[in-house]
Amino acid sequence: IFMRLSGKTAVVTGGARGLGAHMCQMFAAEGAQVIAVDLGEMTYSDKGVEYYQLNITDAEGRKKFFAGTIEKYGKIDILVNNAGITRDAMTRKMTDEMWDIVIDVDLKGLFNLTRYIGPQMEANGQGAIVNISSVVGEYGNIGQANYAAAKAGVIGLTKTWAKEFARKGAAVRVNCIAPGYTMTDMLKTVPQELLDKFAAMTMLGRLGQPEEIASAALFLVSDEASYITGQVLSVNGGMRL
Ligand code: NAD
Protein backbone atom coordinates (compact mmCIF):
# COMPACT_ATOMS: atom_id res chain seq x y z
CA ILE A 1 0.00 0.00 0.00
CA PHE A 2 1.05 3.55 -0.69
CA MET A 3 2.28 5.44 2.34
CA ARG A 4 2.97 9.13 2.14
CA LEU A 5 6.00 9.28 4.48
CA SER A 6 7.82 5.99 3.81
CA GLY A 7 11.53 6.19 4.57
CA LYS A 8 11.25 9.59 6.25
CA THR A 9 12.59 10.50 9.67
CA ALA A 10 10.30 12.99 11.41
CA VAL A 11 10.85 15.03 14.57
CA VAL A 12 7.78 16.46 16.31
CA THR A 13 8.34 18.67 19.35
CA GLY A 14 5.67 18.55 22.02
CA GLY A 15 4.87 15.10 20.63
CA ALA A 16 3.94 13.43 23.92
CA ARG A 17 0.36 14.73 24.06
CA GLY A 18 -2.16 17.06 22.43
CA LEU A 19 -1.77 18.12 18.81
CA GLY A 20 1.77 16.73 18.64
CA ALA A 21 0.65 13.26 19.74
CA HIS A 22 -1.88 13.15 16.90
CA MET A 23 0.75 14.29 14.41
CA CYS A 24 3.25 11.65 15.58
CA GLN A 25 0.74 8.81 15.26
CA MET A 26 -0.57 10.04 11.92
CA PHE A 27 2.98 10.37 10.51
CA ALA A 28 3.91 6.89 11.80
CA ALA A 29 0.80 5.42 10.16
CA GLU A 30 2.07 6.93 6.88
CA GLY A 31 5.38 5.09 7.22
CA ALA A 32 7.63 7.64 8.92
CA GLN A 33 10.05 6.87 11.75
CA VAL A 34 8.88 9.48 14.24
CA ILE A 35 10.69 10.99 17.21
CA ALA A 36 8.39 12.62 19.74
CA VAL A 37 10.46 15.24 21.57
CA ASP A 38 8.91 16.42 24.81
CA LEU A 39 9.82 17.49 28.32
CA GLY A 40 6.67 15.84 29.67
CA GLU A 41 5.80 12.16 29.90
CA MET A 42 4.58 10.17 26.93
CA THR A 43 0.80 9.64 26.98
CA TYR A 44 0.48 6.84 24.38
CA SER A 45 2.51 4.09 22.75
CA ASP A 46 3.01 3.49 19.05
CA LYS A 47 5.69 1.28 17.52
CA GLY A 48 6.51 3.92 14.91
CA VAL A 49 7.06 6.64 17.52
CA GLU A 50 10.15 6.93 19.67
CA TYR A 51 10.01 9.20 22.73
CA TYR A 52 12.96 11.51 23.42
CA GLN A 53 12.89 13.57 26.58
CA LEU A 54 14.11 17.11 25.98
CA ASN A 55 13.28 20.58 27.15
CA ILE A 56 13.74 22.58 23.96
CA THR A 57 15.05 25.54 25.99
CA ASP A 58 18.07 23.44 27.12
CA ALA A 59 21.08 24.24 24.90
CA GLU A 60 23.18 21.22 25.89
CA GLY A 61 20.17 18.93 25.55
CA ARG A 62 19.39 20.24 22.06
CA LYS A 63 22.96 19.60 20.89
CA LYS A 64 22.94 16.08 22.29
CA PHE A 65 19.54 15.38 20.72
CA PHE A 66 20.59 16.60 17.29
CA ALA A 67 23.93 14.75 17.26
CA GLY A 68 22.34 11.53 18.59
CA THR A 69 19.48 11.61 16.08
CA ILE A 70 21.77 12.17 13.10
CA GLU A 71 24.04 9.39 14.34
CA LYS A 72 21.10 7.00 14.69
CA TYR A 73 19.03 7.86 11.59
CA GLY A 74 21.52 9.65 9.31
CA LYS A 75 19.14 12.52 8.56
CA ILE A 76 16.01 14.36 9.61
CA ASP A 77 13.51 14.84 6.75
CA ILE A 78 10.62 16.38 8.63
CA LEU A 79 10.45 18.76 11.58
CA VAL A 80 7.26 19.97 13.21
CA ASN A 81 7.91 22.71 15.74
CA ASN A 82 4.82 22.16 17.84
CA ALA A 83 5.92 22.47 21.50
CA GLY A 84 4.33 25.52 23.04
CA ILE A 85 2.98 26.98 26.27
CA THR A 86 0.80 29.86 27.45
CA ARG A 87 1.03 32.10 30.55
CA ASP A 88 -1.88 34.49 30.20
CA ALA A 89 -2.34 37.87 31.87
CA MET A 90 -3.32 41.39 30.93
CA THR A 91 -0.30 43.41 29.88
CA ARG A 92 -0.29 45.57 33.02
CA LYS A 93 -0.25 42.41 35.18
CA MET A 94 2.16 40.33 33.12
CA THR A 95 5.30 39.44 35.10
CA ASP A 96 8.79 39.25 33.60
CA GLU A 97 8.69 35.50 34.26
CA MET A 98 5.47 35.06 32.27
CA TRP A 99 6.88 37.05 29.36
CA ASP A 100 10.26 35.32 29.40
CA ILE A 101 9.12 31.71 29.61
CA VAL A 102 6.66 32.02 26.72
CA ILE A 103 9.26 33.73 24.51
CA ASP A 104 11.89 31.16 25.59
CA VAL A 105 9.78 28.13 24.67
CA ASP A 106 7.50 29.28 21.85
CA LEU A 107 9.97 31.47 19.96
CA LYS A 108 13.58 30.94 21.08
CA GLY A 109 13.24 27.19 21.63
CA LEU A 110 11.80 26.80 18.15
CA PHE A 111 14.56 28.95 16.62
CA ASN A 112 17.34 27.18 18.49
CA LEU A 113 16.25 23.69 17.47
CA THR A 114 15.71 24.66 13.84
CA ARG A 115 19.12 26.35 13.58
CA TYR A 116 20.60 22.81 13.59
CA ILE A 117 17.93 20.88 11.73
CA GLY A 118 17.17 23.41 8.94
CA PRO A 119 20.79 23.65 7.71
CA GLN A 120 21.08 19.83 7.92
CA MET A 121 18.07 19.59 5.58
CA GLU A 122 19.63 22.17 3.30
CA ALA A 123 22.88 20.17 3.15
CA ASN A 124 20.85 17.01 2.55
CA GLY A 125 19.06 18.68 -0.38
CA GLN A 126 15.51 18.22 0.89
CA GLY A 127 13.23 18.55 3.89
CA ALA A 128 9.97 19.91 5.22
CA ILE A 129 9.41 22.05 8.29
CA VAL A 130 6.05 22.99 9.77
CA ASN A 131 5.91 25.58 12.52
CA ILE A 132 2.85 25.76 14.74
CA SER A 133 1.73 29.36 15.23
CA SER A 134 -1.80 30.29 16.33
CA VAL A 135 -4.85 32.31 15.38
CA VAL A 136 -3.60 34.51 18.24
CA GLY A 137 -0.35 35.20 16.35
CA GLU A 138 -2.39 36.32 13.33
CA TYR A 139 -5.00 38.48 15.05
CA GLY A 140 -3.82 39.12 18.63
CA ASN A 141 -5.84 38.32 21.75
CA ILE A 142 -6.68 40.03 25.02
CA GLY A 143 -4.48 38.71 27.86
CA GLN A 144 -1.95 37.01 25.58
CA ALA A 145 0.64 39.67 24.65
CA ASN A 146 3.53 37.26 25.29
CA TYR A 147 1.95 34.40 23.33
CA ALA A 148 0.78 36.65 20.46
CA ALA A 149 4.29 38.12 20.14
CA ALA A 150 5.91 34.68 20.11
CA LYS A 151 3.39 33.20 17.67
CA ALA A 152 3.60 36.20 15.31
CA GLY A 153 7.39 35.76 15.50
CA VAL A 154 6.95 32.16 14.37
CA ILE A 155 5.28 33.42 11.18
CA GLY A 156 8.30 35.68 10.51
CA LEU A 157 10.69 32.77 11.08
CA THR A 158 8.66 30.60 8.68
CA LYS A 159 8.90 33.13 5.86
CA THR A 160 12.60 33.76 6.52
CA TRP A 161 13.55 30.07 6.62
CA ALA A 162 11.52 29.31 3.48
CA LYS A 163 13.88 31.74 1.72
CA GLU A 164 17.11 30.86 3.55
CA PHE A 165 17.07 27.07 3.42
CA ALA A 166 16.08 26.96 -0.27
CA ARG A 167 18.40 29.70 -1.51
CA LYS A 168 20.98 27.32 -2.95
CA GLY A 169 18.40 25.14 -4.66
CA ALA A 170 17.64 22.61 -1.93
CA ALA A 171 14.04 21.38 -1.86
CA VAL A 172 13.49 22.49 1.72
CA ARG A 173 9.97 23.79 2.35
CA VAL A 174 8.97 25.72 5.45
CA ASN A 175 5.33 26.39 6.24
CA CYS A 176 3.25 27.39 9.20
CA ILE A 177 -0.09 26.26 10.60
CA ALA A 178 -2.12 28.75 12.60
CA PRO A 179 -4.63 26.60 14.49
CA GLY A 180 -7.79 28.01 15.94
CA TYR A 181 -9.09 26.82 19.32
CA THR A 182 -8.63 23.06 19.37
CA MET A 183 -9.63 20.62 22.11
CA THR A 184 -6.42 19.77 24.01
CA ASP A 185 -5.03 20.27 27.53
CA MET A 186 -3.95 23.76 26.51
CA LEU A 187 -7.59 24.88 26.70
CA LYS A 188 -8.02 23.56 30.27
CA THR A 189 -7.23 27.02 31.66
CA VAL A 190 -9.75 28.77 29.38
CA PRO A 191 -13.22 29.23 30.96
CA GLN A 192 -16.06 27.30 29.23
CA GLU A 193 -18.03 30.47 28.47
CA LEU A 194 -15.03 31.85 26.57
CA LEU A 195 -14.68 28.56 24.65
CA ASP A 196 -18.37 28.79 23.71
CA LYS A 197 -17.78 32.33 22.53
CA PHE A 198 -14.78 31.27 20.43
CA ALA A 199 -16.82 28.42 18.90
CA ALA A 200 -19.56 30.88 17.99
CA MET A 201 -16.95 33.11 16.30
CA THR A 202 -16.12 30.43 13.73
CA MET A 203 -18.00 29.94 10.47
CA LEU A 204 -18.45 26.25 11.35
CA GLY A 205 -19.76 27.05 14.84
CA ARG A 206 -17.46 24.71 16.77
CA LEU A 207 -13.94 24.23 18.14
CA GLY A 208 -11.39 22.11 16.31
CA GLN A 209 -10.34 18.53 16.97
CA PRO A 210 -6.62 17.64 17.20
CA GLU A 211 -6.91 15.33 14.15
CA GLU A 212 -7.97 18.30 12.06
CA ILE A 213 -4.70 20.11 12.82
CA ALA A 214 -2.62 16.93 12.46
CA SER A 215 -4.02 16.16 8.99
CA ALA A 216 -3.08 19.68 7.83
CA ALA A 217 0.47 19.05 9.12
CA LEU A 218 0.57 15.69 7.32
CA PHE A 219 -0.44 17.39 4.07
CA LEU A 220 2.21 20.11 4.42
CA VAL A 221 5.08 17.69 5.16
CA SER A 222 4.05 15.27 2.40
CA ASP A 223 5.00 15.47 -1.30
CA GLU A 224 1.41 16.51 -2.06
CA ALA A 225 2.50 19.96 -0.86
CA SER A 226 5.72 19.94 -2.94
CA TYR A 227 5.06 23.42 -4.41
CA ILE A 228 3.91 25.04 -1.16
CA THR A 229 6.43 26.98 0.93
CA GLY A 230 6.55 30.14 3.03
CA GLN A 231 2.80 29.94 3.69
CA VAL A 232 0.55 30.25 6.70
CA LEU A 233 -2.34 27.77 6.66
CA SER A 234 -5.09 28.89 9.01
CA VAL A 235 -6.93 25.84 10.32
CA ASN A 236 -9.61 27.46 12.44
CA GLY A 237 -13.10 26.70 11.16
CA GLY A 238 -13.29 30.14 9.61
CA MET A 239 -12.44 32.26 12.66
CA ARG A 240 -11.63 35.94 12.93
CA LEU A 241 -10.57 37.06 16.40
P1 NAD B 1 -0.53 20.72 24.94
O1 NAD B 1 -0.24 21.50 26.15
O2 NAD B 1 -1.56 19.64 24.99
O3 NAD B 1 0.80 20.08 24.36
C1 NAD B 1 2.00 20.80 24.28
C2 NAD B 1 3.15 19.81 24.43
O4 NAD B 1 4.38 20.55 24.36
C3 NAD B 1 3.14 19.09 25.77
O5 NAD B 1 3.34 17.70 25.59
C4 NAD B 1 4.29 19.74 26.52
O6 NAD B 1 4.93 18.89 27.46
C5 NAD B 1 5.23 20.10 25.38
N1 NAD B 1 6.18 21.14 25.76
C6 NAD B 1 5.90 22.32 26.39
N2 NAD B 1 7.03 22.99 26.63
C7 NAD B 1 8.05 22.23 26.16
C8 NAD B 1 9.46 22.39 26.15
N3 NAD B 1 10.05 23.46 26.70
N4 NAD B 1 10.22 21.41 25.59
C9 NAD B 1 9.63 20.30 25.08
N5 NAD B 1 8.31 20.11 25.07
C10 NAD B 1 7.52 21.06 25.61
O7 NAD B 1 -0.93 21.81 23.85
P2 NAD B 1 -1.46 21.66 22.34
O8 NAD B 1 -2.81 22.25 22.30
O9 NAD B 1 -1.24 20.28 21.83
O10 NAD B 1 -0.47 22.68 21.62
C11 NAD B 1 0.45 22.33 20.62
C12 NAD B 1 0.86 23.60 19.86
O11 NAD B 1 -0.28 24.14 19.21
C13 NAD B 1 1.41 24.72 20.75
O12 NAD B 1 2.49 25.35 20.11
C14 NAD B 1 0.23 25.66 20.88
O13 NAD B 1 0.65 26.97 21.13
C15 NAD B 1 -0.40 25.52 19.52
N6 NAD B 1 -1.80 25.91 19.46
C16 NAD B 1 -2.75 25.23 20.16
C17 NAD B 1 -4.07 25.64 20.08
C18 NAD B 1 -5.17 24.95 20.83
O14 NAD B 1 -6.27 25.48 20.87
N7 NAD B 1 -4.94 23.80 21.43
C19 NAD B 1 -4.42 26.73 19.26
C20 NAD B 1 -3.43 27.38 18.54
C21 NAD B 1 -2.12 26.94 18.65
Side-chain angles (χ1 to χ4, degrees), residues 13-21 23 37-41 54-57 81-86 105-106 132-136 147 151 177-187 213:
T13 69
R17 66 163 199 248
L19 303 183
M23 292 174 198
V37 170
D38 209 299
L39 91 177
E41 271 174 33
L54 173 70
N55 182 337
I56 61 164
T57 66
N81 283 309
N82 163 78
I85 58 166
T86 53
V105 176
D106 296 8
I132 305 301
S133 177
S134 168
V135 68
V136 172
Y147 186 72
K151 292 297 189 180
I177 294 175
Y181 289 81
T182 311
M183 293 312 300
T184 68
D185 290 347
M186 188 169 262
L187 298 191
I213 309 301

Side-chain angles (χ1 to χ4, degrees), residues 11-29:
V11 170
V12 179
T13 69
R17 66 163 199 248
L19 303 183
H22 286 267
M23 292 174 198
C24 287
Q25 292 171 90
M26 216 179 259
F27 291 5

Side-chain angles (χ1 to χ4, degrees), residues 81-121:
N81 283 309
N82 163 78
I85 58 166
T86 53
R87 292 289 186 278
D88 301 348
M90 293 297 177
T91 295
R92 70 188 156 79
K93 287 190 179 165
M94 188 170 286
T95 63
D96 289 349
E97 289 73 22
M98 293 167 99
W99 172 265
D100 288 343
I101 194 171
V102 170
I103 299 298
D104 280 350
V105 176
D106 296 8
L107 189 61
K108 285 173 73 177
L110 184 149
F111 172 78
N112 280 320
L113 195 63
T114 311
R115 76 198 302 177
Y116 296 111
I117 298 178
Q120 176 270 326
M121 289 176 174

Side-chain angles (χ1 to χ4, degrees), residues 21-57:
H22 286 267
M23 292 174 198
C24 287
Q25 292 171 90
M26 216 179 259
F27 291 5
E30 290 289 345
Q33 168 61 56
V34 183
I35 304 150
V37 170
D38 209 299
L39 91 177
E41 271 174 33
M42 198 64 169
T43 60
Y44 60 97
S45 88
D46 183 313
K47 63 177 169 27
V49 183
E50 177 190 336
Y51 169 63
Y52 189 100
Q53 187 166 35
L54 173 70
N55 182 337
I56 61 164
T57 66

